[in-house]
Amino acid sequence: MILPISKLPVKVLRKPVVNVELPADKKMLRLIKDMIATCKAADGVGLAAPQIGQNLNLAIIYLEEAGLPAFPIINPVIIKTSKETTEMEEGCLSTPGLFGKVKRPKKITIEAYNVEGEKFTITDDTFLARVIQHEIDHLKNTLIIDKFEEITTGKELLKKYQDK
Ligand SMILES: [Zn+2]
């Protein structure tokens, strides 16, 4: 099922999240499945639970270019960030039409859980690291508009898609 996406100024985007109980029950598995379908339909690379109206500590990463199947990060925590940063234009399904340059650590290590309740670690310094940080920001009620170094037009992102 495709879920409606919360857009600013919907309040759930700024409401603290609660941890997901694990292992995930039937209802949670359904929700995760629906979030993946919603992310795909919206042509997104990630989707956090507040973006579909749920204040849960859960996001989906859907990054085919990284050669990964869509997967959830449940109750994620960033445990390490590099001093080195990168700046890149970002957009967000919850703030359509708004684009800007966002500076983020280049390399991160996170811990999160899968639906079975098993902990896993991801260390990455590619686009995946940026997507994960964007989604974890949502879980901290932070939006890209809070972090813009510079407002842009969406041109760079557009180019990325046109090049495909
Ligand atoms: Zn977003």
Side-chain angles (χ1 to χ4, degrees):
M1 191 172 80
I2 311 281
L3 306 166
I5 293 179
S6 316
K7 292 170 187 150
L8 267 189
V10 172
K11 287 208 169 56
V12 70
L13 293 168
R14 300 293 199 182
K15 190 175 170 189
V17 296
V18 294
N19 274 349
V20 172
E21 280 185 38
L22 293 168
D25 61 16
K26 251 187 166 169
K27 211 177 126 194
M28 191 59 64
L29 291 174
R30 178 83 243 171
L31 180 73
I32 289 168
K33 213 175 155 194
D34 287 346
M35 282 176 70
I36 290 171
T38 303
C39 189
K40 188 175 182 185
D43 203 18
V45 289
L47 187 71
Q51 293 184 277
I52 43 96
Q54 302 279 343
N55 64 322
L56 294 167
N57 199 0
L58 155 73
I60 298 300
I61 305 297
Y62 191 84
L63 201 57
E64 281 178 315
E65 67 178 62
L68 294 168
F71 67 97
I73 50 173
I74 303 175
N75 305 335
V77 184
I78 295 179
I79 56 168
K80 212 170 154 190
T81 55
S82 64
K83 278 209 184 84
E84 189 188 348
T85 57
T86 58
E87 206 175 82
M88 195 182 148
E89 183 174 62
E90 289 187 26
C92 178
L93 297 173
S94 293
T95 56
L98 296 176
F99 302 93
K101 296 226 168 150
V102 180
K103 194 191 275 181
R104 301 188 182 277
K106 182 169 168 41
K107 187 174 178 183
I108 55 154
T109 298
I110 68 152
E111 280 178 358
Y113 294 84
N114 65 16
V115 292
E116 276 91 35
E118 296 156 350
K119 193 193 270 187
F120 61 92
T121 304
I122 297 175
T123 299
D124 191 76
D125 64 355
T126 67
F127 186 54
L128 173 65
R130 178 163 290 268
V131 174
I132 289 173
Q133 290 178 80
H134 178 118
E135 298 314 324
I136 291 179
D137 270 356
H138 274 296
L139 303 175
K140 293 176 178 162
N141 305 122
T142 299
L143 298 168
I144 51 172
I145 54 167
D146 308 327
K147 302 190 122 173
F148 283 164
E149 303 272 333
E150 183 194 331
I151 307 282
T152 56
T153 58
K155 208 163 70 186
E156 286 172 35
L157 282 174
L158 183 66
K159 194 173 177 316
K160 191 172 154 69
Y161 285 109
Q162 283 172 333
D163 285 346
K164 272 180 187 169

